[in-house]
């Protein structure tokens, strides 16, 4: 029997189904990639000698953990001096005593001048001494206040000598060692590299025919490639508003919770939108 005669015997629905191209991407999910939510480089905020590095490559750290200690011996000595000046009242007591003495002296000279026992010039000289003493007292108060400000500044500088983890994650590389000089600036070599593994980021490229069907907030099922097993639920966070005209596609970013760190980053996966 000819093929044309056979097609005449088939129902119209069967012919349409046979002519429809297979869609394995839609049936099995779309290719995706699981990546760290962010990657950063830990650099020194200033040129300083590395005193200690408290983590190794592969170390799991929590937000706020101390990673690197830079040498701060000079700043500690300066902080000690500033705190001592801020706490000391010796200069303030001396200036206050001089001001009190000058004030009493001027009062006695003023009484003597009213009784014509001393000249106006003597009274004016004691008044000038009082003004100088009061200015010295104000200067002593300012010096103590400035010493307190300097102590707080040096304390902040010392805190910057302890480099802390900005988020929970994994140390992916260690590029410097204790005893080396760490330099500041983008062109300098970082001390450590970190990756945030909770949550993870899932990137997928979809055909433009799905535009309008994929919306932020929807759930999706993530299946990592073998030998990993299991399925995890992610949530759509970003849907690109600019299409790639060359490939007729657009990008989507999903957020995949990973509180126990059981899902490794950097693996391929399949995503199926629920």
């Amino acid at each position: 029997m000819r093929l044309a005669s056979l097609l005449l015997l088939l129902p119209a629905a069967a012919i349409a189904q046979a002519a429809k191209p297979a869609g394995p991407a839609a049936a099995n999910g779309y290719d995706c990639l699981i990546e760290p939510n962010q990657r950063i480089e830990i650099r020194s905020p200033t040129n300083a000698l590395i005193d200690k590095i408290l983590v190794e490559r592969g170390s799991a750290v929590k937000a706020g953990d101390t990673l690197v200690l830079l040498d701060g011996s000079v700043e500690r000595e300066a902080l000690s001096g500033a705190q001592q000046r801020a706490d000391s009242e010796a200069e303030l007591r001396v200036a206050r005593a001089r001001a009190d003495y000058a004030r009493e002296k001027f009062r006695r000279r003023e009484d003597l001048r009213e009784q014509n026992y001393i000249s106006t010039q003597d009274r004016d000289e004691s008044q000038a001494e009082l003004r100088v003493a009061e200015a010295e007292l104000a200067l002593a108060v300012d010096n103590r206040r400035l010493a307190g400000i300097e102590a707080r500044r040096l304390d902040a500088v010392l805190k910057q000598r302890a480099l802390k983890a900005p988020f929970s994650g994994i140390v992916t590389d260690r590029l410097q060692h204790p005893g080396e000089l760490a330099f500041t600036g983008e062109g300098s070599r970082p001390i450590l590299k970190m990756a945030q593994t909770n949550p993870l980021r899932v990137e997928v490229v979809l055909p433009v025919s799905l535009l309008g069907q994929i919306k932020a907030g929807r759930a999706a099922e993530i299946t990592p490639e073998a030998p990993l097993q299991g399925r995890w639920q992610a949530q759509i966070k970003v849907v690109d508003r600019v299409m790639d005209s060359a490939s007729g596609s657009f990008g989507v970013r999903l957020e995949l919770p990973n509180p126990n760190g059981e899902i490794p980053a950097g693996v391929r996966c399949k995503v199926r939108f629920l």
Side-chain angles (χ1 to χ4, degrees):
M1 185 181 294
R2 291 184 178 182
L3 178 60
S5 300
L6 180 61
L7 291 176
L8 290 174
L9 297 177
L10 291 175
I15 297 176
Q17 182 66 25
K20 185 178 180 180
N28 302 326
Y30 297 92
D31 291 333
C32 58
L33 180 63
I34 302 175
E35 295 183 319
N37 191 40
Q38 58 178 320
R39 300 175 186 266
I40 65 166
E41 295 177 342
I42 304 296
R43 301 176 183 271
S44 173
T46 184
N47 299 338
L49 194 69
I50 299 175
D51 187 17
K52 294 179 182 179
I53 298 180
L54 307 177
V55 293
E56 296 290 342
R57 177 180 174 180
S59 298
V61 299
K62 296 181 179 180
D65 286 353
T66 301
L67 307 177
V68 181
L69 293 176
L70 303 175
D71 179 56
S73 55
V74 175
E75 288 77 10
R76 277 191 292 271
E77 292 297 328
L79 175 60
S80 177
Q83 286 178 337
Q84 185 175 1
R85 292 193 303 272
D87 297 337
S88 176
E89 295 186 357
E91 182 181 3
L92 190 60
R93 286 199 300 266
V94 170
R96 189 176 290 116
R98 287 178 178 173
D100 292 342
Y101 173 75
R103 192 174 297 109
E104 181 63 23
K105 181 180 178 180
F106 173 69
R107 186 188 63 79
R108 292 197 305 267
R109 292 296 178 92
E110 184 70 16
D111 293 341
L112 293 174
R113 175 65 190 89
E114 290 178 356
Q115 299 175 21
N116 293 324
Y117 287 121
I118 62 173
S119 65
T120 303
Q121 182 179 358
D122 291 337
R123 192 275 311 273
D124 292 344
E125 288 178 356
S126 63
Q127 186 178 28
E129 291 176 2
L130 173 59
R131 290 174 178 172
V132 171
E134 289 175 342
E136 290 177 347
L137 176 59
L139 181 61
V141 173
D142 288 344
N143 287 340
R144 189 179 183 189
R145 180 177 57 84
L146 292 174
I149 295 174
E150 179 67 7
R152 291 192 294 272
R153 185 190 71 82
L154 291 170
D155 183 63
V157 170
L158 270 179
K159 288 180 180 178
Q160 291 181 352
R161 294 296 189 268
L163 308 184
K164 300 181 181 295
F167 51 73
S168 299
I170 302 295
V171 177
T172 59
D173 206 354
R174 173 174 166 171
L175 303 174
Q176 290 191 270
H177 303 276
E180 292 188 75
L181 187 62
F183 293 95
T184 186
E186 289 295 329
S188 62
R189 185 173 50 162
I191 303 174
L192 300 170
K193 290 184 179 181
M194 277 190 63
Q196 185 180 15
T197 56
N198 181 39
L200 292 168
R201 185 181 64 187
V202 181
E203 298 287 350
V204 58
V205 177
L206 300 176
V208 73
S209 59
L210 293 179
L211 186 63
Q213 303 179 35
I214 306 300
K215 297 181 180 180
R218 284 186 54 186
E221 187 179 73
I222 305 297
T223 305
E225 65 178 357
L228 298 176
Q229 296 181 354
R231 295 178 179 178
W232 292 273
Q233 192 172 88
Q235 186 180 42
I236 300 173
K237 288 296 182 180
V238 178
V239 178
D240 288 348
R241 305 297 297 270
V242 178
M243 307 297 108
D244 184 358
S245 58
S247 61
S249 62
F250 65 99
V252 174
R253 175 178 297 176
L254 301 94
E255 186 177 276
L256 176 61
N258 189 29
N260 300 322
E262 57 184 349
I263 310 173
V267 298
R268 296 185 181 278
C269 59
K270 292 286 186 179
V271 56
R272 187 170 62 88
F273 297 98
L274 305 179

